[in-house]
Amino acid sequence: MYISYNWLRDFIQTDLSAEEVSTLLTDLGLEVEGIDEYQSIKGGLAGVVIGKVLSCEKHQNADKLKVTQVDIGLEESVQIVCGAPNVAAGQTVAVATVGTTLYTDSGESFEIKKSKIRGEVSHGMICAEDELGLGTNHEGIMVLENHHKAGTACGEVFSIITDQVFEIGLTPNRSDAMSHYGVARDLRAALLQTNEIPALITPSISSFRTDNYSGAIQIDVKDNDAAPRYCGLRISGVEVKPSPEHIQHRLKAIGVKPINNIVDATNYVLHELGQPLHAFDAGKITSGIVRVQKLKEGTPFVTLDGIERKLSNEDLMICDGDAPMCLAGVFGGLASGVTENTTEIFLESAYFDPISIRKTAKRHGLSTDASFRYERSIDIELVKYALKRTALLIQEVAGGVFSSEIIDEYRSKQEPHQVLLKFEYMNNLIGYEIPRETVKKILQGLDIKVTNVTETSIGLEVPTYRADVRRPADVVEEILRVYGYNNIPTGTKLNSSVPDFRKQLSNQHQQRIAQQLVAQGFYELYNNSLTTPKHDANVEEMVTILNPLSSELSVMRTNMLYGMLESIQFNTNRQQQNLRFFEFGNTYHKTETGTKQTATLGIAVTGQQLPNHWTVAEQKSDFFFLKGVIQTLFQRLGIDVKETPGKNTHYKESIDFHFKEKHIGSLGLVNIDAFKGLAIEQDVIACTIAMEPILNNANQNIKVAHLSKFPSVHRDLALLVNTNTSFEELYQIAQKTERNMLKSVALFDVFTGKGIPDGKKSYALSFTLSDNNKTLTDKQIDKTMQRIAQQYEKQLGATLRQ
């Protein structure tokens, strides 16, 4: 939000500089993020001086150019080549000297340089008024009155308005400060604590009088909940034209583009008082009735930007009878807008329900100065005053007469909110006792009325413009920000709460997982939890956003895969093929009882395991690579998981992980076709794991074992097994058959094809055997391998391959 220093001083007279005001506002909670310089003529005409044309001769090499000698207050005159048809000797002109920077209407700059034009040297430029920002005429140079002295800076000749503009980072709760008047109120409250007694000056409306009653328009509010207060006034005989310069410069200083005197007047009061207003062309209100109501779903309506929008039956509309004219509090309609042919207007000032306005604005993707204020709640008691103020301003800049009385539909008056503040509560919350008289003085400066005072508490009446002050804690915050946080002394005792070590331990486990993955070459991702519903067919499980920013961010993610796949696609499209990613985040699902949020770890790999090099054979980051990474994580956390064949539609082939008989995750080759809108040509292996059971059961016990003094023995088996037999089944059978001597089982070859019967595949397994107490004999080894082979044949029908 932008606040003009000059405009602010219209409301409160102070000798404080802009920098001092900035500091005071920041201390009050209206954080000033920067101060910008505004000049009515950009650059302030620096380098532009008064010149006297001493001579003017035709250019020998160009019919339309002239060579002039110009006195610019130096010891010698300068030669300037000029193409203006009206340049002549004896004129007083504005000269942009060499090195001067001028600005175009679009804000672009260009520097005046010494140049040679058709063989003649030119030391500057004789300017037209549009080149200096002093007008729009470009038919010739600007000729000034002769009494100006040569060499005088044009910045001294022309009235240049300068201002300093505060950029304030306004918090959403401070709707009362969304105007120059609101900021001035806060500034006054602060100055009162410094023993200054500044007056808060408000625009006078005492001259408002209804001229006649010839143009009365009826107002019919059908929905008083959505429009608790609605005021209207007809003004006839107005002349639509550009606004006076002082109004245009005020608006330009805060970044508002002037349009015409009617629209500028409504914008002026909006930024002056914080009350949005709208002017309709009264000649286009053919029914004679302004009706505030909601229309049928799908009703077409063309807004001021020329776009046809389909209305919701929840959109509050301002209508000409039953024909829509305006999205209430958000955006006007094209058909009822003020044009250069408008001669009478209907001026609206209203209070609309903040929730209704916010929903309409989000629904149609609109954000305007009016909706910004209505969404945050304005002062319902300011509505009629602002209407009178705007009407008088329009009469001042556009003429006209007030041809109706003000119609004010305000059926249920809003009473000030009552708060009881206990002194003990306030002191405990602040941690310091502010003198009670100081508290009363601060409340008085904030327009919070003291209704009664006892030894233990104080009764307060909060003004209607402070929609954010509802609780005793809110009042304490108001007192504290005006008193000054920096004025609260720092105590000698430091209090601290005992942390929840269980949560801390969980964070340590997560950090340990992240460190291990990073050590293995993985990069951590942070994706948005909001996503598009297009990528997943399980729409019924999705948690939808009530007021989404866009359709692409309208649901909460149901899995971690889509975000990681988008990151992979983004990188592979930029020649980054070998990728390893992981991400901690939440997934969200609808359930029969409500919604469920699950903390999840997602891991994905694609491309080669190692960078391409002539000494290293290519090896893809395949299923077994990622499985090894996952198994290492489980081992480090002391988690014993079981694996079963997976049936997840997000994967072409997968396995599921189970912990304590519960499914906790899946690992597999991603089925890219299951995710709409993605085009990744290389294989992606991914895994998702539910974090809560892992973190809650992670075992930190470190097991230490003596190294065996006896040698280990390796034996291999080549087996013919059914195609649906998994290595996990072979591994578990071997471990159960020989629990003592068997140290490891590894799969080093899988083969199908020539020589292998249909429905079969060949598995080559390697077994490592050892005994910590003795050296194994061939007889013991052969007996163990025979028992394992027998169990394979008995349980799986496996046979030794000859």
Side-chain angles (χ1 to χ4, degrees), residues 6 56 134 136 150 153 157 204 216 260 279 341 419 421 441 501 561 570 612 623 661 691 791:
N6 291 346
C56 180
L134 293 169
T136 59
V157 175
S204 174
N260 59 53
N341 298 318
V419 177
L421 176 63
K441 187 176 180 181
F501 289 105
L561 293 178
F570 181 88
N612 293 331
F623 175 91
E661 307 303 324
M691 291 297 294
Q791 289 300 316

Side-chain angles (χ1 to χ4, degrees), residues 462-476:
V462 180
T464 54
Y465 65 79
R466 290 310 304 268
D468 60 320
V469 179
R470 288 292 178 267
R471 307 166 301 165
D474 300 328
V475 177
V476 174

Side-chain angles (χ1 to χ4, degrees), residues 199 206 218 287 298 336 420 463 468 476 497 578 631 669 696 707 747 753 768 777 792:
S206 60
Q218 296 181 41
S287 69
S336 62
L420 180 65
D468 60 320
V476 174
S497 301
N578 306 326
Q631 288 176 335
L669 174 62
N696 290 343
L707 293 174
L747 175 66
T768 302
T777 64
Y792 283 159

Side-chain angles (χ1 to χ4, degrees), residues 476-534:
V476 174
E477 181 185 1
E478 290 301 297
I479 294 169
L480 191 54
R481 71 182 182 86
V482 176
Y483 183 77
Y485 290 94
N486 295 332
N487 294 325
I488 302 299
T490 303
T492 56
K493 183 174 68 172
L494 179 64
N495 297 326
S496 177
S497 301
V498 177
D500 185 347
F501 289 105
R502 292 172 300 174
K503 185 175 181 181
Q504 186 178 14
L505 185 60
S506 176
N507 290 338
Q508 288 177 356
H509 292 324
Q510 181 170 314
Q511 187 65 21
R512 190 171 289 110
I513 293 172
Q515 288 173 348
Q516 179 158 328
L517 290 171
V518 170
Q520 291 177 292
F522 285 81
Y523 289 88
E524 186 171 5
L525 298 175
Y526 288 94
N527 282 309
N528 198 338
S529 295
L530 299 176
T531 186
T532 172
K534 298 177 182 178

